[in-house]
Amino acid sequence: MSTVKKNILKNGFASILTRGVRMLEQLFLVPFFITSWGAAYYGEWLTLTIIPSVFAFSDLGFGSAAANSFVLAYASGQKQKAANINKAAIRIISTMLVIAMFVSVVVLLILNHFDVFEKSIIEKYDAIIAVSVLILARFLNFYTQLIESYYRSARKASLSINLQTLKSLLNLGAGMLVLLFGYGIVAFAISQLIVIVFFNFFYWYRGSKMLEGFHKYKGIKDKLEIKNITSKGIGYMLFPGWQAIYFQGTTFVVRIVLGPESVAVFNTVRTLSRSVNQVLNIISSSIFPELQYEIGAGNTSKANKIFKIGVLSSFILSVLGVIFLAVFGLWFYGIWTQKQLYVEPSVWYVFLIGILFNSLWWSSEPIFRAKNEPYVFAIAGVISAIVSVIFTYLLSSGFGLLGAAIGAIILDIIMAFIIIPKSISMMEMKFIEIFQGLNLNMAIKKIVSKK
């Protein structure tokens, strides 16, 4: 088995494991929180954590831009350029960290001035200290994406994913111990900060050691790289932007036009139908590191092969997922919602159609990150999201939830027609080449002969 195939499989297994741990992290601690603190106190804590969660986006995608630039330079053998990028990235991220810290202090002072913390059932100074500690912990993660690029450059992406999974487990264990011993929010926040500090140091040390001979190159200040990282970072900032417009916008429109019960049906149907996307995300995260390395190394044929594997495997799995959901989906939906919500079959099947279109363009998304060209994808996403929200409003006004469903999948249809041709063009391929060299006839003959 080739190195590329082995690494893709390793990345896949690591991605499956980390998604399982993240689900565990989200669900496992809840009973401990409620038992130790009580439902009301826990609810207040969740409200307070909104503040550090918002500040966590303060790096504005600069980490992604720097990481992708680093991998492409390192894989192409431009070690000095990679060192310059690394130096520029650390400078930019550190600057953003200082600015974000200053802004967070100002925000906390303003909230305290208007007695926001006084209105909480959590003691004021405990709330301020805990939120401050969590904000610092979130900010220290600004360096994570840059450090992750060291592992991708060394073709050890699966190790990086596994180490991130270990961090989640350490956070989970530290939080559980704090709750079991009956400590409050300050101790809980400090436990998370301690894990992040020690983990990030080890994560950086381990990653830097894997870049053989890289320590010989001393980065120098390069204004061009600083400008490049900054401009592309703004492009990556739009990635979560279009998702917010789409998911929150369509939800808001359905609430305004059709009412709260329709919102419940609309969002639960979309959530269940998009369960297939979790599998597609695993494929995406599995192929991305190898795809980017081969692109950086100039191995066009290998990169094209990885791209084809991603697109075709995503589409095949989406077809299987749609068939499964078409047969069993409505039955499971009834069990899942305890038959408190009812969805028309026509609405359900419209959402399933959207899965097929989604699988095509989402499997092409890694190309834009791999080549560090975020703007085409991000702008297409923003435009598609706005159009989808508008059509959701217009169609739901005339056709109810069926119209809302059609409006929602318009995003996937538009993105499929924009992103697929563009990604194929970026790979310097033709559409027909996606299906070439796969030996499908040979595979069919082998299956028949076995029978």
Side-chain angles (χ1 to χ4, degrees):
M1 185 181 294
S2 67
T3 301
V4 172
K5 290 181 180 179
K6 286 181 180 178
N7 287 342
I8 289 176
L9 288 175
K10 287 180 180 179
N11 297 341
F13 288 129
S15 297
I16 293 172
L17 179 61
T18 196
R19 290 184 183 279
V21 170
R22 285 177 183 174
M23 290 179 61
L24 181 66
E25 188 178 17
Q26 293 172 354
L27 301 176
F28 186 71
L29 283 181
V30 173
F32 290 92
F33 275 121
I34 295 174
T35 301
S36 180
W37 293 352
Y41 195 92
Y42 174 52
E44 288 284 64
W45 171 243
L46 289 177
T47 304
L48 288 175
T49 58
I50 292 174
I51 301 173
S53 297
V54 171
F55 281 116
F57 292 102
S58 301
D59 69 335
L60 302 178
F62 296 137
S64 296
N68 291 330
S69 297
F70 182 88
V71 175
L72 291 173
Y74 188 92
S76 65
Q78 302 178 70
K79 302 294 177 63
Q80 183 58 56
K81 181 179 180 180
N84 296 345
I85 292 171
N86 188 58
K87 186 179 181 67
I90 292 174
R91 183 187 295 268
I92 293 172
I93 294 171
S94 298
T95 301
M96 287 304 305
L97 190 151
V98 172
I99 294 173
M101 283 295 293
F102 175 76
V103 172
S104 65
V105 170
V106 172
V107 170
L108 290 176
L109 289 174
I110 292 173
L111 293 176
N112 184 50
H113 176 74
F114 287 100
D115 296 326
V116 172
F117 296 107
E118 296 281 1
K119 300 173 184 177
S120 172
I121 64 174
I122 298 176
E123 203 278 324
K124 182 176 74 170
Y125 291 106
D126 283 352
I128 293 174
I129 293 171
V131 169
S132 300
V133 171
L134 273 188
I135 288 174
L136 177 59
R138 296 290 192 273
F139 287 164
L140 291 179
N141 283 330
F142 281 10
Y143 297 98
T144 299
Q145 293 186 68
L146 175 62
I147 300 172
E148 181 193 2
S149 69
Y150 301 166
Y151 292 83
R152 296 209 306 265
S153 298
R155 308 195 78 173
K156 298 289 184 181
S158 60
L159 176 59
S160 173
I161 298 172
N162 287 329
L163 288 175
Q164 290 287 342
T165 303
L166 175 62
K167 183 181 76 169
S168 297
L169 287 172
L170 291 173
N171 279 327
L172 185 65
M176 186 174 66
L177 285 175
V178 168
L179 296 174
L180 286 174
F181 283 105
Y183 291 107
I185 61 172
V186 175
F188 183 86
I190 292 174
S191 73
Q192 305 301 293
L193 177 62
I194 291 173
V195 169
I196 287 173
V197 169
F198 282 98
F199 173 81
N200 282 359
F201 178 77
F202 173 78
Y203 190 51
W204 168 82
Y205 177 80
R206 186 74 176 84
S208 60
K209 287 295 182 182
M210 289 191 300
L211 299 176
E212 296 181 6
F214 186 66
H215 65 279
K216 298 178 182 177
Y217 298 87
K218 302 298 180 183
I220 59 176
K221 183 178 179 180
D222 190 330
K223 292 183 179 180
L224 181 62
E225 293 301 341
I226 293 175
K227 181 180 178 181
N228 183 53
I229 293 172
T230 303
S231 63
K232 290 184 183 297
I234 295 173
Y236 284 109
M237 179 184 66
L238 297 176
F239 273 54
W242 71 261
Q243 295 182 57
I245 294 171
Y246 174 66
F247 288 105
Q248 305 307 320
T250 51
T251 298
F252 180 73
V253 163
V254 173
R255 170 63 183 85
I256 294 298
V257 178
L258 303 176
E261 185 174 339
S262 293
V263 170
V265 174
F266 180 80
N267 276 0
T268 51
V269 169
R270 180 161 62 182
T271 298
L272 183 57
S273 65
R274 283 184 170 263
S275 58
V276 177
N277 292 57
Q278 299 303 315
V279 178
L280 304 184
N281 285 336
I282 292 173
I283 294 175
S284 175
S285 58
S286 300
I287 68 169
F288 169 68
E290 293 304 306
L291 175 66
Q292 185 171 56
Y293 185 89
E294 299 298 350
I295 288 174
N299 298 327
T300 304
S301 60
K302 288 185 178 180
N304 288 350
K305 187 175 181 180
I306 295 171
F307 173 65
K308 290 191 288 186
I309 290 172
V311 172
L312 292 176
S313 59
S314 294
F315 185 71
I316 291 171
L317 287 174
S318 70
V319 170
L320 295 176
V322 166
I323 293 173
F324 179 83
L325 289 175
V327 177
F328 301 105
L330 288 174
W331 167 77
F332 182 78
Y333 181 80
I335 296 175
W336 183 46
T337 59
Q338 299 180 345
K339 296 186 178 180
Q340 297 298 309
L341 298 175
Y342 173 74
V343 57
E344 292 286 346
S346 57
V347 174
W348 175 252
Y349 294 129
V350 167
F351 273 109
L352 295 188
I353 293 172
I355 295 174
L356 299 176
F357 285 98
N358 179 271
S359 69
L360 292 172
W361 68 263
W362 187 248
S363 61
S364 302
E365 181 270 342
I367 297 299
F368 298 87
R369 286 186 290 127
K371 289 206 167 188
N372 207 19
E373 297 182 15
Y375 277 100
V376 172
F377 184 87
I379 293 173
V382 170
I383 294 173
S384 300
I386 293 173
V387 172
S388 184
V389 170
I390 293 172
F391 271 91
T392 299
Y393 174 78
L394 295 175
L395 294 175
S396 61
S397 299
F399 302 98
L401 270 177
L402 177 60
I406 296 172
I409 71 167
I410 282 177
L411 174 133
D412 292 311
I413 295 173
I414 295 175
M415 289 291 281
F417 280 100
I418 295 176
I419 298 303
I420 296 173
K422 182 60 180 177
S423 62
I424 293 174
S425 174
M426 289 172 65
M427 295 301 293
E428 300 179 358
M429 297 171 60
K430 295 180 180 179
F431 183 79
I432 190 64
E433 291 182 62
I434 294 179
F435 306 96
Q436 292 176 347
L438 296 175
N439 295 325
L440 293 180
N441 290 333
M442 184 67 69
I444 294 172
K445 288 180 180 179
K446 286 182 178 180
I447 294 173
V448 173
S449 62
K450 286 182 180 180
K451 292 182 178 180

